[in-house]
Amino acid sequence: MELTIKRPAGETEGPAQVAVLTTLKLSDFGKDVNVTAPAAKDTVDVTAKLAKQGSESQAG
């Protein structure tokens, strides 16, 4: 997955944009796992930010 995040309008500090490339390696399908969800305080929902970024990059 590739993701490019642009600096918000009006911001002057930091890079103009940051590109991130993430590779997931999935294996051991069918094996039992023990997973615990992180506490809410340790998570953040960036769905709206990504959706806005995606619509802005398609528009311009």
Side-chain angles (χ1 to χ4, degrees):
M1 174 173 73
E2 293 183 45
L3 173 66
T4 301
I5 302 172
K6 296 179 182 176
R7 181 175 49 218
E11 293 288 326
T12 58
E13 294 186 29
Q17 69 181 30
V18 176
V20 177
L21 174 61
T22 302
T23 303
L24 299 176
K25 180 180 178 184
L26 305 174
S27 62
D28 295 330
F29 291 96
K31 289 191 174 186
D32 290 338
V33 296
N34 183 12
V35 179
T36 303
K41 68 179 181 68
D42 295 329
T43 67
V44 63
D45 184 352
V46 296
T47 306
K49 290 180 182 181
L50 293 176
K52 181 179 178 187
Q53 175 71 33
S55 65
E56 289 175 353
S57 66
Q58 290 176 2

